[in-house]
Amino acid sequence: MTDIDLAKRIEYLRQLGSDFGDLQSQVLDVDAVPGTPALNALTPLYFRAQGLATRLAAQVAGLDAGPYTQVPGSRESLDALRAAIGTASLAAADLAHALAANPLDGTRFGGRSEHDARFRDQEHAEAAPVLAEHLREAARQLELCSTVCHYVAHGISKDVFPAAAQPPASLPAPAKLNTKQYEALGSLAKGGAQLEVRDRRARIATIDGTAVTAATFGSLDELGLVHHDTSVSLARGRDITVTAEGHRALTNRSRSASQPTPIPSAPAPAAVRTSGQAGR
């Protein structure tokens, strides 16, 4: 089994999961005003969704052709990923349907008339809820793709590199976090945090009001420092808990902060020879 190849594929899957999540955020944030603005906003999102589906299919093909298929549990992982290819394609299809439902300005045969403006306003009003529905569906599918990629990557790590994925409880957590990640983890450890969707945006609500971005939460989740029940709908809100590894990371940081920084001793002064001494 080529560990290096599998390690790279795990990183590819994690990056794919992050890219699906980023695209989901863009879809939720897009201001799809019917007409030319929606065309300009949705076209690059559609192209990116197609690209992500293609990249995911390539990763599934690579895993299926390699030694990973001999690992117990690989069948379930591959099944989840191949199903995610269809899910990614559905997201791209919803964006395509949004483009198709978006009315564009143009001149009819016979030239413009005084009724064109009224008809155009009516078309835009009818198209707005259709666009919004396609965008909601695309975001939902992209979220699912992101979740599948992250969890399959984590599962492959546990199956192939069990010693690295599951360190003994007596050892300190290996995670090295940046300042924002430590602040977010400390806030989540206070309890009462929820992952929810409001105004079509994923939001992490903490008990002390600390702002936790989706990217920061995703990195903590990928490292196994936090847990949330994916079977619960985001519309209802998922409770977030900090895992044992997360608490160890916080404890290790506190210990490191409490240890005084050693002060280096001053170097001994170099011997100085005078011209007289040199001649003796």
Side-chain angles (χ1 to χ4, degrees), residues 6-98:
L6 277 175
K8 287 182 178 179
R9 293 200 178 277
I10 290 170
E11 289 305 313
Y12 291 155
L13 283 176
R14 288 173 175 163
Q15 185 59 55
L16 262 176
S18 297
D19 290 345
F20 274 118
D22 290 342
L23 182 56
Q24 180 208 10
S25 298
Q26 292 179 21
V27 169
L28 290 172
D29 289 341
V30 69
D31 187 11
V33 178
T36 302
L39 176 66
N40 294 335
L42 296 179
T43 299
L45 300 183
Y46 167 62
F47 287 149
R48 189 177 178 193
Q50 285 189 313
L52 290 177
T54 301
R55 286 169 54 193
L56 180 57
Q59 289 308 310
V60 174
L63 286 169
D64 184 65
Y68 176 62
T69 55
Q70 304 303 315
V71 176
S74 59
R75 176 63 179 271
E76 287 76 12
S77 295
L78 289 171
D79 283 349
L81 287 176
R82 68 183 177 85
I85 297 173
T87 304
S89 298
L90 288 176
D94 269 304
L95 291 171
H97 284 305

Side-chain angles (χ1 to χ4, degrees), residues 91-248:
D94 269 304
L95 291 171
H97 284 305
L99 286 168
N102 177 48
L104 299 177
D105 297 334
T107 303
R108 302 177 187 273
F109 285 112
R112 292 185 178 274
S113 69
E114 60 182 10
H115 302 294
D116 281 351
R118 179 165 56 85
F119 289 147
R120 183 171 60 252
D121 292 341
Q122 182 178 348
E123 283 183 330
H124 286 195
E126 293 174 350
V130 178
L131 295 181
E133 178 61 25
H134 283 307
L135 291 176
R136 278 194 295 268
E137 281 300 306
R140 186 175 67 84
Q141 306 291 358
L142 291 168
E143 180 193 20
L144 182 57
C145 290
S146 177
T147 300
V148 169
C149 288
H150 280 301
Y151 277 90
V152 171
H154 183 64
I156 295 176
S157 296
K158 290 175 63 178
D159 293 338
V160 180
F161 310 112
Q166 297 178 335
S170 59
L171 296 178
K176 294 182 180 180
L177 309 179
N178 58 37
T179 301
K180 288 186 177 180
Q181 290 170 328
Y182 273 122
E183 290 176 353
L185 189 61
S187 177
L188 296 173
K190 296 177 182 178
Q194 275 202 334
L195 174 62
E196 57 192 11
V197 171
R198 286 188 178 181
D199 299 326
R200 298 191 301 162
R201 296 189 62 179
R203 176 177 177 271
I204 294 88
T206 56
I207 195 170
D208 60 359
T210 298
V212 180
T213 65
T216 298
F217 178 78
S219 63
L220 297 177
D221 187 24
E222 185 177 326
L223 290 169
L225 305 182
V226 295
H227 172 75
H228 61 102
D229 188 355
T230 56
S231 66
V232 177
S233 170
L234 285 173
R236 291 175 51 193
R238 299 174 185 170
D239 291 333
I240 301 171
T241 57
V242 174
T243 63
E245 289 80 3
H247 285 291
R248 271 205 305 276

Side-chain angles (χ1 to χ4, degrees), residues 178-179 182-183 248-258:
N178 58 37
T179 301
Y182 273 122
E183 290 176 353
R248 271 205 305 276
L250 290 172
T251 301
N252 290 342
R253 189 198 189 200
S254 299
R255 288 175 180 171
S256 300
S258 62

